[in-house]
Amino acid sequence: MPRPLSDQERCDLDNRVAETEKRTGAQIVLAVIERSDTYAELPWKAFALGASVIGLFITILELVRPSWNTGHAVLLAVVTTLMAGAVCALLCVAVPWFARFFLDAHHAEMEVRQHAQSLFLSHELFGTSRRTGILLLISLFERQVVVQPDTGLAERLDRTALEEIVSRMTAVLASGQVARALNEGLNSLQEHLHAAPSGTLAKNELPDEIIEEERP
């Protein structure tokens, strides 16, 4: 899979993160991952659909032309059905937009959120002195966004604010513009957090580099 961000976009986003942190007092980490789960069930769903469609076509053909039903024709029908299912399964593995047809939205949302929580813990984003760490995560395959703040930002980022940030990022991400979606998230985050409260430490406690992961 081609890297979703160019070197220049990475550099620009690193600078934007540093600038937004100074303005808001939050410790921001960006993450772009290929997908949040393997979704092993998707190729099987695709196989079932392909085999079912061809099976339906063969059944209709039998009703229209019952005389075609010879031994060789039956064997050909079975092979064709299995091949159609196999082709759909392979397409599901190789072509993300095709695989998304078989992805349950609720399952995807749950997996992306769990992956965001896992990254938050594994990268120790909770380790800031004022618990002001926040993760902005984009999961490309699912085309979903998660904003995961630490407890120190709870009073400044309520549920409505988080939903608005996610909505603005998701709207841009739908067109495939990953860097712009992250910039939109930083803009929205800055609008909601406003200026850093007095007494906030200026020290940068978390790395500004973007977390990038390929498929699990």
Side-chain angles (χ1 to χ4, degrees):
M1 174 182 173
R3 300 189 74 179
L5 297 171
S6 67
D7 291 338
Q8 184 60 52
E9 287 173 333
R10 255 181 237 102
C11 181
D12 292 343
L13 284 166
D14 288 345
N15 293 333
R16 279 296 322 279
V17 166
E19 176 189 348
T20 306
E21 288 179 340
K22 290 178 181 178
R23 291 176 179 270
T24 64
Q27 297 290 312
I28 305 165
V29 173
L30 307 179
V32 180
I33 61 176
E34 184 176 345
R35 57 170 66 196
S36 294
D37 188 63
T38 56
Y39 302 107
E41 74 278 6
L42 298 187
W44 290 106
K45 288 182 178 181
F47 180 92
L49 177 65
S52 297
V53 170
I54 294 300
L56 178 61
F57 173 77
I58 291 173
T59 300
I60 294 173
L61 186 62
E62 163 64 15
L63 294 175
V64 174
R65 296 180 57 190
S67 59
W68 82 279
N69 194 5
T70 65
H72 291 295
V74 170
L75 178 60
L76 179 62
V78 172
V79 172
T80 302
T81 300
L82 292 176
M83 286 185 62
V87 168
C88 286
L90 290 173
L91 280 174
C92 195
V93 172
V95 184
W97 64 262
F98 183 76
R100 274 193 290 271
F101 283 119
F102 306 94
L103 183 63
D104 178 74
H106 177 71
H107 182 199
E109 181 181 356
M110 181 181 66
E111 292 294 342
V112 175
R113 186 162 297 280
Q114 287 180 351
H115 197 85
Q117 292 169 351
S118 174
L119 281 182
F120 194 93
L121 294 175
S122 63
H123 288 267
E124 299 184 354
L125 305 191
F126 54 82
T128 61
S129 57
R130 294 174 180 261
R131 302 296 297 270
T132 54
I134 182 167
L135 174 68
L136 273 65
L137 177 141
I138 288 177
S139 194
L140 296 173
F141 173 69
E142 298 86 350
R143 292 186 177 177
Q144 292 196 15
V145 173
V146 172
V147 180
Q148 183 75 40
D150 206 346
T151 55
L153 296 173
E155 293 184 359
R156 302 169 65 195
L157 284 175
D158 58 17
R159 181 175 179 179
T160 301
L162 293 175
E163 289 177 349
E164 182 180 339
I165 296 170
V166 169
S167 177
R168 287 173 59 171
M169 291 181 67
T170 304
V172 177
L173 183 62
S175 62
Q177 301 179 75
V178 178
R180 188 182 159 203
L182 291 170
N183 271 300
E184 188 65 30
L186 292 171
N187 291 337
S188 184
L189 188 63
Q190 186 170 311
E191 291 171 11
H192 285 286
L193 290 177
H194 307 293
S198 58
T200 299
L201 297 175
K203 178 183 177 183
N204 187 16
E205 300 180 77
L206 296 174
D208 292 335
E209 289 81 8
I210 301 169
I211 299 171
E212 295 184 76
E213 288 186 355
E214 297 183 356
R215 68 170 62 194

